[in-house]
């Protein structure tokens, strides 16, 4: 029935239950559009993510000792206002020039030596994350404007069947934040406030709230569909 | 790396910022964040509708994680701490593709799993199944130029968890993949065909019915190793790019 030479996914893509609506498919004798494979469904990292996803240098987007490095810190809370001790956050960002170390940055990504733009930090120590990094520069928005300095953040945890995505902006970039198209797309200042990190002793802090917790006055962080 | 990489010859004109767009599967094909049968989603799944984030540079780029993340021994989970793991030896292999069917090369694949008795090497996991001194349950590989990956490991056991009365997780291996863009990041679980525990498992059943089979590996007799190991194939599909609008060079070639 199944040929070992054809990926089962490609075979399965011909089955009715794998169609992505609106995309034509094989079967009529003519291939009248792209054959699109449906993506693999996401799942929770479960409570034991530290087994597989811990690196000694995980929290270091910028190597230790990098000049001008800061710590991004914060806590992750659930809908009862309790700390989430088994979450992990990952961050991805531009360097201080607003460039990404990636071939799809058409300006030719350049980064500071020792800076990789990516970090992951689990929250096993009482629900806190900490990422050692450089403050990113403004990033072109592709429409002639600039996005305010920001960090893309993924949150993973037991009880999250997919990652949730948010951003970190910086409180001392008021002017850039006011002109930022993503922040401008949010409905109100309270929403925007959930994304803006405040200055701290060694960098910035921003807590992440997975859910509203009204009796403690905690507002749900704005999460994005990417 | 000299640390003196030169900047791109072109200025950072915004006209150069024509970016690929990564297509999302329709919502009914994706695992929802909230699933009442899985209790932990109750206080953790966000309640508000997520805000659409246009794909800009931050989203169409992503961490480039190289071979330096991986040791040659990371592909074999059965030989750790000076001895051999107990249980049924298996080979887990497959390809990482995008939804256009293109291979995703140089992708970091991280796996973690329970041992043959269904217990994780983790301080919080202390149900009465034995720990295996020669199994830590961690593996890593980088996909090759055709998007292929392969691990040798032990078939993980089922284990109980507190979600509901007599709740048992079907045997599974956790997978983490980066792809080439922030939008392609995926954490998922691979299951084994014909598991009798699917029916009662809310984490498996949270996947929309039409998408569930894509989380199940396929037993492959041809890839078993005689007198050594069974084999399971599992291909993983990350999001693909829309009709990719590449930027154009000065000479009109597509870059």
């Amino acid at each position: 029935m199944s040929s070992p030479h054809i990926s089962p996914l490609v075979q399965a893509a011909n089955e009715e239950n794998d169609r992505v609506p609106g995309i034509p498919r094989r079967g009529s004798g003519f291939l009248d559009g792209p054959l699109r494979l449906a993506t693999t469904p996401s799942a929770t990292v479960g409570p034991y993510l530290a087994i597989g996803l811990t690196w000694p240098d995980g929290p270091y987007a910028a190597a230790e000792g990098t000049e001008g490095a800061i710590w991004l810190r914060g806590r992750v809370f659930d809908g009862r206002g309790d700390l989430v001790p088994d979450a992990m956050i990952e961050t991805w960002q531009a360097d201080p020039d607003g460039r990404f170390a990636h071939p799809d940055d058409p300006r030719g990504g350049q980064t500071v030596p020792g800076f990789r733009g990516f970090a992951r930090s689990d929250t096993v120590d009482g629900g806190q994350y900490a990422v050692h990094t450089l403050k990113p520069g403004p990033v072109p928005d592709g429409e002639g404007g600039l996005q305010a300095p920001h960090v893309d953040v993924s949150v993973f945890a037991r009880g999250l069947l997919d990652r949730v995505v948010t951003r970190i902006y910086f409180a001392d970039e008021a002017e850039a934040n006011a002109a930022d198209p993503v922040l401008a797309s949010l409905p109100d200042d309270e929403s925007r406030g959930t994304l803006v990190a405040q200055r701290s002793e060694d960098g910035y802090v921003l807590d992440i709230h997975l859910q509203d917790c009204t009796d403690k006055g905690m507002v749900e962080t704005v999460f994005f569909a990417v | 790396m000299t640390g003196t990489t030169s900047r791109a010859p072109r200025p950072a004109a915004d006209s150069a910022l024509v970016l690929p767009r990564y297509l999302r599967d329709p919502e009914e094909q994706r695992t929802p964040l909230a699933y009442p049968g899985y209790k932990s989603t109750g206080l953790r799944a966000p309640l508000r509708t997520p805000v659409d984030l246009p794909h800009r540079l931050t989203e169409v780029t992503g961490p480039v994680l190289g071979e330096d993340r991986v040791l040659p021994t990371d592909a074999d989970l059965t030989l750790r701490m000076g001895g051999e793991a107990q249980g049924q030896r298996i080979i887990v292999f497959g390809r990482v593709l995008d939804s256009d069917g293109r291979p995703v090369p140089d992708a970091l694949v991280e796996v973690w799993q329970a041992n043959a008795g269904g217990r994780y090497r983790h301080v919080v996991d202390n149900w009465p199944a034995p720990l295996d001194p020669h199994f830590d349950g961690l593996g890593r590989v980088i996909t090759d130029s055709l998007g292929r990956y392969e691990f040798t490991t032990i078939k993980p056991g089922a284990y109980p968890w507190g979600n509901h009365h007599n709740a048992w997780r079907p045997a599974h291996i956790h997978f983490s993949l980066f792809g080439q863009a922030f939008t392609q990041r995926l954490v998922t679980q691979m299951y084994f065909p014909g598991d009798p525990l699917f029916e009662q498992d809310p984490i498996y059943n949270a996947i929309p019915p039409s998408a569930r089979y894509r989380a199940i590996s396929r037993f492959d007799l041809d890839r078993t190793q005689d007198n050594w190991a069974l084999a399971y194939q599992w291909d993983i599909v990350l999001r693909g790019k829309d009709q990719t609008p590449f930027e154009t060079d000065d000479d009109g070639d597509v870059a």
Side-chain angles (χ1 to χ4, degrees):
Chain A
M1 160 108 189
S2 67
S3 158
H5 305 296
I6 301 175
S7 160
L9 271 163
V10 173
Q11 292 177 26
N14 289 323
E15 302 296 327
E16 191 62 37
N17 63 1
D18 202 33
R19 290 207 54 212
V20 177
I23 308 288
R25 65 178 182 130
R26 296 175 202 270
S28 61
F30 296 96
L31 185 61
D32 51 358
L35 176 69
R36 178 150 289 138
L37 303 176
T39 56
T40 303
S42 69
T44 175
V45 289
Y48 308 127
L49 61 102
I51 292 174
L53 299 176
T54 305
W55 300 335
D57 63 347
Y60 290 86
E64 231 171 332
T66 304
E67 199 185 330
I70 54 168
W71 281 97
L72 284 181
R73 299 179 190 276
R75 298 167 293 176
V76 181
F77 292 95
D78 69 12
R80 196 162 36 207
D82 291 340
L83 286 165
V84 177
D86 51 4
M88 176 180 80
I89 70 128
E90 288 182 348
T91 59
W92 172 244
Q93 60 169 95
D95 71 7
D97 287 338
R99 291 171 180 245
F100 294 90
H102 190 279
D104 280 350
D105 186 336
R107 303 161 302 163
Q110 140 130 355
T111 58
V112 179
F115 179 71
R116 68 171 180 229
F118 173 78
R120 63 165 46 149
S121 166
D122 51 25
T123 60
V124 282
D125 292 330
Q128 304 205 37
Y129 70 86
V131 167
H132 188 258
T133 189
L134 293 167
K135 191 176 169 190
V139 176
D141 69 359
E143 292 169 3
L146 287 172
Q147 298 187 83
H150 65 273
V151 175
D152 270 15
V153 180
S154 305
V155 185
F156 304 84
R158 169 177 64 87
L160 287 178
L161 286 161
D162 198 352
R163 66 168 172 166
V164 290
V165 169
T166 186
R167 277 187 168 190
I168 295 175
Y169 288 86
F170 299 89
D172 50 6
E173 295 283 348
E175 203 177 316
N177 290 345
D180 181 80
V182 172
L183 286 175
S185 74
L186 303 182
D188 51 54
D189 284 339
E190 189 179 56
S191 307
R192 283 183 277 274
T194 67
L195 306 184
V196 181
Q198 303 297 322
R199 281 295 311 194
S200 70
E201 259 174 38
D202 58 359
Y204 296 85
V205 287
L206 182 67
D207 292 339
I208 294 168
H209 296 276
L210 296 175
Q211 270 186 13
D212 277 322
C213 179
T214 42
D215 58 342
K216 292 186 181 159
M218 294 175 171
V219 179
E220 184 172 311
T221 298
V222 169
F223 294 105
F224 294 102
V226 291
Chain B
M1 287 294 286
T2 60
T4 56
T5 324
S6 63
R7 295 197 178 221
R10 286 185 301 276
D14 279 326
S15 59
L17 288 176
V18 181
L19 303 173
R21 192 170 65 97
Y22 284 83
L23 292 167
R24 220 181 304 169
D25 276 353
E27 200 164 336
E28 62 271 17
Q29 293 263 335
R30 289 180 277 133
T31 316
L33 279 169
Y35 189 75
Y38 176 19
K39 280 188 189 163
S40 297
T41 66
L43 286 168
R44 294 188 171 189
L47 303 174
R48 302 187 185 193
T49 309
V51 176
D52 274 330
L53 185 66
H55 293 175
R56 310 284 198 204
L57 269 174
T58 323
E59 289 72 41
V60 303
T61 57
V64 180
L65 300 159
E67 298 279 353
D68 58 339
R69 289 277 134 211
V70 172
L71 297 171
T73 49
D74 286 348
D76 189 342
L77 289 74
T78 68
L79 297 170
R80 294 284 159 85
M81 294 163 280
E84 261 188 277
Q86 303 198 18
Q88 174 64 64
R89 201 179 292 110
I90 59 172
I91 295 161
V92 176
F93 71 101
R95 294 179 73 193
V96 181
L97 305 168
D98 71 16
S99 56
D100 298 313
R102 282 189 283 250
V104 181
D106 306 318
L108 175 66
V109 183
E110 298 169 284
V111 296
W112 68 104
Q113 63 169 94
N115 68 21
R119 186 162 164 192
Y120 287 90
R121 182 169 291 282
H122 190 285
V123 286
V124 179
D125 190 1
N126 51 16
W127 79 286
L131 277 173
D132 180 342
H134 300 303
F135 192 78
D136 61 10
L138 161 65
R140 292 186 183 118
V141 294
I142 303 267
T143 57
D144 70 8
S145 60
L146 297 175
R148 292 178 299 199
Y149 74 89
E150 181 170 329
F151 293 99
T152 302
T153 184
I154 293 291
K155 186 167 181 195
Y159 57 85
W161 60 309
N163 189 70
H164 53 278
H165 175 68
N166 213 12
W168 293 78
R169 288 304 324 281
H172 63 276
I173 298 177
H174 296 267
F175 273 71
S176 159
L177 298 105
F178 284 91
Q180 295 164 334
F182 183 79
T183 51
Q184 287 186 314
R185 182 85 177 91
L186 177 70
V187 170
T188 184
Q189 298 178 18
M190 184 202 92
Y191 296 95
F192 293 86
D195 197 315
L197 294 168
F198 286 152
E199 192 192 340
Q200 59 76 57
D201 181 49
I203 294 180
Y204 171 79
N205 286 299
I207 304 169
S210 66
R212 284 176 198 157
Y213 79 95
R214 299 200 295 267
I216 304 172
S217 58
R218 180 186 70 117
F219 174 67
D220 187 342
L221 188 65
D222 291 342
R223 282 294 298 272
T224 58
Q225 287 188 13
D226 193 28
N227 273 314
W228 188 249
L230 296 177
Y232 292 88
Q233 179 182 14
W234 195 49
D235 292 342
I236 301 158
V237 180
L238 307 178
R239 291 165 65 180
K241 290 176 188 176
D242 199 4
Q243 313 242 336
T244 314
F246 287 107
E247 59 166 321
T248 311
D249 268 335
D250 293 338
D251 57 6
D253 287 337
V254 173

